[in-house]
Amino acid sequence: MSERELQSLLTHLQRSLQTHDYNTSLQHLGQAKLILLKLNALVPSAAVSPSTLLLARETLELGALISIRRQDHESFTRYFSQLQPFYELPASQLPRQRSNQSKITGLHLLLLLSQGDYAGFHTVLESLDLATASLEDGGGGSGARGGQREEEDAFIQYPIKLEQWLMEGSYDKVWGMTKSEKVPSEEYGIFSEVLIGTIRSEIASCSEKAYPSIPITNAKNLLFLESEGSVVDFARDRGWLVQDSRIFFPSQQETGYGTEKEILLASGQVIENTIGYARELETIV
């Protein structure tokens, strides 16, 4: 098995990925990994040539992207871990050209965000800061994004901004970001529904604490749902009562909520940020 055969396989793999033929992609990926195994290149070492390391990194990156497209998060996480030794190599051993390190790292940040793993999210960000600092101090590492700074990197800035807005409760900004042209790539868009699902859950919890009931029409905007039928389905899944075109939340006394003043103090700001326009809030109750 030669590098030429591996390069040919990767070309076919990329083509099948572009056409969303994931079954064929997985077949090519398996064949490429088998060649890398025979070349002893699945794990980087000084005995492996830079050109082979380049192909090995590309193979694993394509595997990570296929995993995201197939929404196989466990597989993506394994590929991300396998890629770290390649990303830590100095540029003299593994050139940074053609690397998808920034894209893969940003996707990993998005995955952590969608899972609510904020500690893991910030751990990865800290590692990126350390890698950048190492580059600026003249270190030999490859750097988190091939030398590009976080604030200049759209793949990294996208999850950073989403995390900041989630922590602020500015859910309308998150919604707008995931539905705009600012989504860096097709793979990033796959996380949109997961993140919006997290947002809906947060908004629903705050709404239960803030109001005894709200009209279905207002709930549609509040929960970023596209139809009143979707609101009814969501309400029933949450165990809410739907009656007379309104949604009635469980009794605050039954669920052990505090006084009305405490509820409004705890939830009012989050709800206000969520909707993004205060006037509509006044029409909800």
Side-chain angles (χ1 to χ4, degrees), residues 96-224:
R96 299 169 192 147
Q97 289 82 0
R98 293 163 44 196
S99 173
N100 276 308
Q101 180 178 357
S102 175
K103 186 176 187 178
I104 300 295
T105 303
L107 285 168
H108 182 61
L109 287 170
L110 265 185
L111 176 59
L112 294 173
L113 201 58
S114 68
Q115 295 173 337
D117 186 356
Y118 294 100
F121 183 93
H122 286 282
T123 297
V124 173
L125 283 185
E126 289 172 7
S127 70
L128 299 184
D129 290 337
L130 289 173
T132 301
S134 175
L135 278 174
E136 292 175 347
D137 291 341
S142 66
R145 294 154 303 283
Q148 188 175 15
R149 299 181 63 86
E150 288 175 19
E151 59 270 22
E152 301 169 350
D153 192 327
F155 288 122
I156 301 300
Q157 276 300 304
Y158 184 80
I160 287 176
K161 288 181 180 178
L162 291 180
E163 190 268 347
Q164 290 173 344
W165 290 333
L166 283 172
M167 297 303 292
E168 293 172 2
S170 300
Y171 301 134
D172 58 311
K173 292 182 180 179
V174 176
W175 168 263
M177 188 75 150
T178 59
K179 298 297 180 181
S180 73
E181 69 282 354
K182 294 181 181 179
V183 178
S185 73
E186 180 179 348
E187 292 84 10
Y188 279 68
I190 292 172
F191 284 101
S192 295
E193 282 306 311
V194 178
L195 284 172
I196 296 305
T198 301
I199 290 172
R200 286 195 185 107
S201 181
E202 288 287 334
I203 295 172
S205 297
C206 291
S207 300
E208 290 171 337
K209 298 175 183 178
Y211 305 111
S213 69
I214 61 174
I216 290 178
T217 53
N218 293 104
K220 182 169 73 75
N221 294 329
L222 184 68
L223 297 168
F224 302 108

